């Protein structure tokens, strides 16, 4: 096929470029080491500190493609620029838009870093061969969720939760497993009162989680049972929570930070979780990777490192209510302790989530 | 080439799809004359004007103006370089410009525009209308502005396409006088296109009759009327009676109403032509039955069936209205002549 | 008399064609790039997969949904726009200038914002005690409110151009007021009805933001999903090609209908103004009727947006000034460029000087039919291979945007060009003006109104545009729309509100400019 041939050629060029960049970076360090090793001791020595300081070797311009929200990214990046003297140029869009752009750009991409909202997009970028492998130094920073491919860095975590209308449902009656949700809904007359987002990436991740934990048959059956309840499909979580506020639905699986945000706005929406290890509590990891096309690898490394710094992690917790992935952060009273939060979801390697099978199931069910 | 020729058209052909509008047309226009170009609707008059102006290209043939080849098989001079003015039937005044700006549009560089506009508006009798917009003018006024605008560009030839057809009958005669006076004053060569043969004959200059894509005849109004080159010309420029020749002997042409001496034209079929006013009712004439009558007040047209069955129309003045069905006598009162069928 | 000039003979074929041919070719090439790209991506799939993807029953459902919505939308927008245009053009409605602006203003509300805000403000506990719109009827209502101005503008311009003498002569022939309108005026409005209806239908087909929020699944929605959720650009390309084919059918139909209508008015091009019909005691009813659409489509959403903004904790809206400048630059340049391209296309099409020009005129709508994300990706692919220096530059963004909104500019420009009599240009030529002077001094002033209207519509379209801007904009280049979208995605309504207001305000200015140029010209 044409694709694979292109990809292979592109991959070769990209690897070559990455090696060349690594060599160049080492050369800048004054280290005449000819070995194209991404982690030269000198680089580690100068850049590995917990609090990033501007170093004479790291500078220039860094191009970041962000699938994350502009309003979230910009303040942090400004701080990073101030702290390191690196000039960051940004491109924003959804994960999918950025991924598609990277794919079309191929080996001509000007991007250094891909910072995504979902592990799915990063896994996809990794399997497409767009990401360069990361060194142990970087991968030792997060407390959990390091992917097998070692090509991207987990940055923060969100949890799937069950949102409900507190006037209509009580937390103690709610099911303990996502698989019990259809039966519960049938028994409580909730036909047509459930919302879902079958086209939203986090939902699809969750479905993949169900496949991984309970097998494809169970997942298909769950989907069929859900469909039989005539759930209302929404294109986004805010739209779904607005519908819950308006009394259109009573129950919905969503991501925890949306509920937090609507609660802050005074909406009467509550959330709960299933029992520990249930795929309905799936941890959703955000992260960032360095592209094989990166021209400024040292700056890209510094940026990833910065994302896991105390300062940045505190910002994620405080401003958008996400879970940090390092221990040294002051916890938010609305959130679970990190250790417990990490254990809430099923223990699955994120990159091994059978996303393709989940999409296939959804397609067979006529849902996308 | 004769020095008095201003415009010469040679073998102009133009085809739109399957329809050949101009079929090898030849025409010369003398310097300073006002030529009336007349022909039935759809005969190619407007197309010919557009070819002279450069708005259409002939498929073949040449347009030569003042010694310059404007169009030939090799190429074509764009309209703005021809110095040929065209006054459109619908005037085509620029709706976004006032009268003064319309007139000033084509004034060549280096000419005092304000003065020239004033002169021209004076010429066309519209002084003081400088600031008015086209839609505020009457049809006759628009016509005169269009003419002033055309003259302002200092053309060597002005083409007027049906200049009076958009005017009501009362206005038409006066505007016609005005336009002719203006053209005469400006001393400009002009071609006036019209489909109205009466109008064409009333214009002062020569008349060119365009029929089926060719110039059938060029001549003074009287020549065209009295001695039409073909039956089609004769019919187009006025009422005509055609009577078959019964015998030719020693240069004497015999027909139902009499005989006359005439050289026989070479080849082709021909008939004897008499205008209705060249026939008269007379008691001693050939008996004919009255089959129709059109009364016009100052004159009347009587349709008669001759003994052979041929019908003729007779124009009579004054009183005396024969009864339809009655029998009267008819005789030749003018000069019969031979007209070729084609 | 001047001395005899040398004959300037030009080869026949080149007369006046070349200056027009360049922009026409540019547009044609630019619009074919995305199609070529889609074909390239589509044929990456193997045949079995294609069969599975294209012949799914779901595609038939999506097709049915899309066509149903498009047809219904043409009917509803016309039903609203025609009486409104009659009111503002032909009656003594008070404050007509104000109503002109107000009635056009819904264009300034991006569909995705309007739909979201209306959803947030309805239902139990919402700001307005109204049922929440959803499904087919919801999509139809919201899209009607957002797109009827296209039909309104189109009909309004046409009504202004109709020669009142025609209707008067029909009245004198014994027809009643209504019969005269139906038998004489309405047929004259057909090109405008077609033009406006086409734009509205294309909106229904191309929209994905509104229909997805209202949970009505159309083709564009499915394409959006393939790109955004499934990361499947092959299936997305197939769906996009089917969408383009659907649009092509629509355009062919429009062309067949329009071909019979050649309505260049002979005469001076400046018809008499009609005496307005007196409303009399119907005036309050008329005012209320004319106020209703802008109230529902603009005021209610804006109030709801401010209400949302007040309920969510306020952050500070960063970069408003910069985004404003960027929006004006990018959308302004794109609008100017789309008009500059639309004019020669409309000319060559109307005067048929170039073979294939009418095809290019139709092709202009393809820029709209290709899903914007695919459109942007096509340009990523193409520029990086053909002109890498252009990649990530403002000119590329402007060019792509201008092609995307070309169809919006095309409608008014086409109508204006069709109304401008070729006699006027020919007149100028015989008065010694060359093609350039003729264009500048005669053609442009006459089609200026249409060009301004087209430019304003193109601007409004470009300033709302999202996916193309996100992907093709230079790095660090944020516009009002991209920032607003980013805020609303994260439910940060307080921060999004100023950007939404800026978009509406900016678009309102353009609506005002457009109507103002119309007045100064026709006085």
């Amino acid at each position: 096929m044409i694709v694979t041939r292109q990809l292979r050629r592109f991959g070769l060029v990209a690897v070559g470029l990455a090696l060349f960049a690594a060599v160049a970076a080492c050369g800048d360090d004054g280290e005449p080491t000819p070995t194209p090793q991404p982690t030269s001791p000198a680089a580690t020595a100068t850049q590995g500190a917990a609090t990033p300081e501007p170093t004479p070797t790291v500078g220039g311009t860094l191009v970041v493609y962000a699938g994350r929200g502009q309003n979230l990214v910009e303040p942090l990046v400004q701080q990073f620029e101030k702290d390191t003297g690196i000039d960051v140029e940004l491109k924003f869009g959804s994960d999918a838009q950025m991924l598609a752009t990277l794919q079309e750009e191929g080996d001509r991409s000007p991007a250094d870093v891909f910072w995504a909202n979902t592990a799915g997009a990063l896994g996809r970028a990794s399997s497409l061969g767009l990401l360069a492998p990361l060194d142990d130094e970087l991968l030792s920073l997060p407390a959990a969720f390091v992917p097998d491919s070692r090509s991207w860095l987990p940055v923060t975590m969100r949890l799937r939760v069950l949102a409900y209308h507190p006037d209509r449902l009580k937390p103690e009656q709610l099911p303990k497993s996502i698989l019990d949700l259809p039966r519960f809904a049938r028994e409580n007359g909730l036909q047509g009162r459930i919302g879902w987002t079958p086209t939203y990436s986090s939902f699809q991740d969750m479905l993949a989680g169900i496949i991984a934990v309970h097998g494809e048959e169970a997942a298909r059956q769950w989907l069929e049972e859900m469909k039989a309840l005539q759930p209302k499909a929404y294109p986004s979580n805010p739209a779904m929570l607005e519908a819950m506020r308006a009394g259109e639905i009573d129950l919905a699986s969503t991501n925890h930070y949306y509920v937090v945000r609507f609660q802050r706005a005074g909406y009467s929406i509550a959330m709960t979780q299933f029992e520990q290890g249930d795929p309905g509590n799936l941890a959703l990891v955000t992260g960032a990777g360095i592209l094989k096309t990166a021209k400024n690898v040292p700056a890209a490394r510094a940026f990833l490192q910065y994302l896991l710094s105390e300062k940045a992690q505190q910002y994620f917790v405080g401003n958008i209510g996400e879970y940090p992935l390092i221990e040294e952060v002051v916890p938010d009273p609305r959130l679970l302790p990190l250790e417990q939060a990490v254990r809430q979801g099923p223990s699955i390697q994120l990159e091994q989530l059978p996303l393709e099978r989940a999409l296939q199931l959804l397609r067979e069910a006529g849902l996308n | 080439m004769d020095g008095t020729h201003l415009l010469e058209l040679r073998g102009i052909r133009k085809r739109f799809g399957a329809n050949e509008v101009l079929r090898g047309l030849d025409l010369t226009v003398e310097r300073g004359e006002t030529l009336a170009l007349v022909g039935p609707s759809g005969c190619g008059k407007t197309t010919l004007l557009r070819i002279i102006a450069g708005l259409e290209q002939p498929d073949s043939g040449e347009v030569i103006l003042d010694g310059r080849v404007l169009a030939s098989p090799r190429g074509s001079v764009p309209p703005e370089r021809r110095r040929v003015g065209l006054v459109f039937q619908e005037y085509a005044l620029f709706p976004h410009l006032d009268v003064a700006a319309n007139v000033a549009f084509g004034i060549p560089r280096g000419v005092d525009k304000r003065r020239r506009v004033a002169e021209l508006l004076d010429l066309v009798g519209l002084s003081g209308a400088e600031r008015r917009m086209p839609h505020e003018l009457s049809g006759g006024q628009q016509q005169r502005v269009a003419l002033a605008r055309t003259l302002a560009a200092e053309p060597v030839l002005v083409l007027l396409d049906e200049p009076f057809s958009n005017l009501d009958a009362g206005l038409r005669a006066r505007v016609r006088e005005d336009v002719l006076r203006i053209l005469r004053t400006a001393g400009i060569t002009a071609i006036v296109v019209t489909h109205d043969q009466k109008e064409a004959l009333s214009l002062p200059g020569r008349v060119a009759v365009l029929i089926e894509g060719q110039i059938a005849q060029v001549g003074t109004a009287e020549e065209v009327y009295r001695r039409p080159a073909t039956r089609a010309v004769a019919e187009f420029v006025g009422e005509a009676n055609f009577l078959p020749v019964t015998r030719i002997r020693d240069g004497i042409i015999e027909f139902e109403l009499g005989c006359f001496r005439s050289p026989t034209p070479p080849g082709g079929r021909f008939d004897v032509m008499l205008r209705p006013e060249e026939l008269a009712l007379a008691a001693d004439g050939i008996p004919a039955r009255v089959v129709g009558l059109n009364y016009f007040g100052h004159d009347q047209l009587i349709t008669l069936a001759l003994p052979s069955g041929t019908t003729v129309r007779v124009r009579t003045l004054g009183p005396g209205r024969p009864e339809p069905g009655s029998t009267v006598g008819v005789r030749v009162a003018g000069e019969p002549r031979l007209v070729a069928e084609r | 008399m001047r001395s005899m000039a040398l004959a300037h003979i030009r080869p026949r074929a080149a007369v006046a064609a070349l200056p027009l041919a360049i922009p026409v070719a540019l547009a044609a090439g630019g619009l074919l790039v995305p199609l070529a790209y889609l074909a390239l991506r589509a044929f990456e799939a193997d045949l079995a997969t294609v069969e599975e993807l294209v012949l799914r029953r779901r595609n038939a459902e999506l097709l049915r949904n899309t066509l149903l919505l498009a047809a219904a939308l043409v009917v509803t927008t016309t039903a609203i726009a025609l009486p409104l245009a009659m009111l503002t053009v032909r009656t003594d409605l008070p404050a007509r200038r104000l109503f002109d602006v107000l009635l056009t203003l819904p264009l300034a509300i991006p569909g995705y914002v309007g739909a979201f805000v209306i959803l947030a403000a309805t239902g139990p506990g919402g700001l307005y005690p109204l049922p929440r719109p959803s499904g087919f009827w919801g999509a139809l209502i919201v899209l009607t409110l957002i797109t009827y101005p296209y039909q309104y503008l189109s009909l309004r311009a046409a009504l202004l151009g109709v020669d009142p003498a025609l209707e008067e002569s029909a009245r004198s022939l014994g027809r009643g007021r209504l019969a005269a309108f139906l038998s004489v005026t309405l047929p004259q409005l057909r090109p405008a009805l077609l033009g406006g209806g086409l734009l509205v239908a294309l909106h229904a087909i191309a929209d994905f933001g509104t229909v997805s929020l209202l949970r009505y699944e159309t083709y564009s929605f499915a394409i959006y999903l393939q790109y955004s959720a499934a990361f499947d650009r092959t299936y997305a390309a197939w769906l996009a090609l089917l969408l383009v084919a659907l649009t092509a059918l629509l355009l062919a139909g429009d062309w067949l209908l329009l071909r019979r209508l050649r309505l260049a008015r002979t005469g001076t091009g400046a018809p008499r103004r009609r005496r307005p019909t007196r409303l009399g005691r119907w005036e309050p009813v008329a005012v209320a009727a004319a106020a209703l659409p802008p109230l529902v489509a603009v005021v209610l959403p804006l109030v709801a947006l401010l209400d949302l903004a007040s309920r969510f904790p306020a952050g500070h809206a960063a970069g408003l000034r910069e985004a404003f400048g960027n929006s004006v630059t990018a959308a302004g340049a794109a609008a100017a460029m789309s008009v500059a391209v639309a004019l020669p296309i409309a000319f060559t099409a109307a005067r048929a000087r170039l073979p294939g020009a009418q095809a290019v005129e139709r092709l202009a709508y393809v820029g709209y039919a290709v899903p914007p994300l695919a459109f942007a990706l096509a340009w990523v692919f193409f520029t990086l291979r053909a002109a890498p220096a252009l990649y990530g530059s403002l000119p590329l963004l402007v060019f792509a945007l201008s092609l995307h909104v070309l169809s919006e500019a095309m409608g008014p420009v086409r109508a204006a060009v069709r109304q401008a009599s070729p006699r006027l240009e020919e007149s100028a030529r015989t008065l010694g003006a060359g093609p350039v002077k003729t264009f500048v001094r005669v053609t442009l002033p006459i089609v200026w109104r249409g060009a301004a209207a087209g430019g304003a519509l193109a601007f409004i379209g470009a300033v709302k545009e999202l996916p193309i801007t996100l992907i093709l904009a230079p790095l660090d280049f944020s516009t009002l729309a991209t920032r607003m979208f980013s805020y609303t995605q994260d439910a940060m309504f307080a921060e999004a509100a100023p950007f939404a207001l800026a978009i509406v305000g900016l678009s309102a200015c353009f609506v005002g400019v457009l109507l103002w140029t119309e007045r100064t010209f026709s006085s």
Side-chain angles (χ1 to χ4, degrees), chain A residues 70-71 104-105 233 245-246 248, chain C residues 37 120 124 215 391 478 486:
Chain A
Q70 185 167 12
N71 27 285
E104 294 303 345
E105 286 175 346
R245 182 273 308 159
E248 203 166 279
Chain C
Y37 165 82
R215 298 189 293 108
Y391 187 66
S478 301
S486 166

Side-chain angles (χ1 to χ4, degrees), chain B residues 50 53 55 57-60 66-70 72-81 83-86 88 90-97 101-102 105-108 113 134-135 142 149-150 153-156, chain C residues 1-13 15 265-273 421-438 440-446 521-523:
Chain B
R50 292 171 63 80
L55 299 172
Q57 314 312 325
D59 297 335
S60 63
D66 218 359
R68 291 163 70 202
V69 177
L70 296 183
S72 77
R74 287 183 301 121
S76 168
V77 175
E80 65 271 18
R81 302 249 175 94
R83 303 191 62 199
V84 173
L86 174 57
F88 285 90
E90 59 270 32
Y91 317 137
L93 295 183
F94 304 128
H96 59 294
L97 300 178
N102 261 288
F105 189 91
I107 294 179
K113 290 203 175 175
H135 66 265
Q142 291 191 22
R149 181 179 69 173
T150 303
E154 296 180 12
V156 296
Chain C
M1 279 298 193
R2 288 175 287 185
S3 63
M4 193 198 290
L6 280 173
H8 302 268
I9 291 199
R10 287 184 196 164
R12 195 166 299 177
V15 179
R265 188 180 47 243
T266 56
T268 62
R272 220 153 32 77
R273 264 301 174 82
S421 165
R423 299 289 161 271
L424 296 171
E425 287 147 42
E426 290 173 352
S427 213
R429 294 295 296 278
T430 62
L431 292 169
V436 176
K437 185 183 172 190
T438 300
V440 173
R441 297 246 352 244
V442 175
T443 313
L444 208 53
I446 289 169
F521 177 56
S522 62
S523 65

Side-chain angles (χ1 to χ4, degrees), chain B residues 170-197:
Chain B
L171 203 56
R172 196 175 297 168
R174 219 184 67 215
V175 172
R176 188 161 59 215
E177 285 314 305
D178 282 348
V179 166
L180 292 174
R181 176 185 55 78
I182 293 162
L183 290 174
R184 210 164 41 237
T185 314
I188 201 124
T189 313
I191 299 177
V192 179
V193 156
T194 175
H195 67 277
D196 178 347
Q197 86 281 1

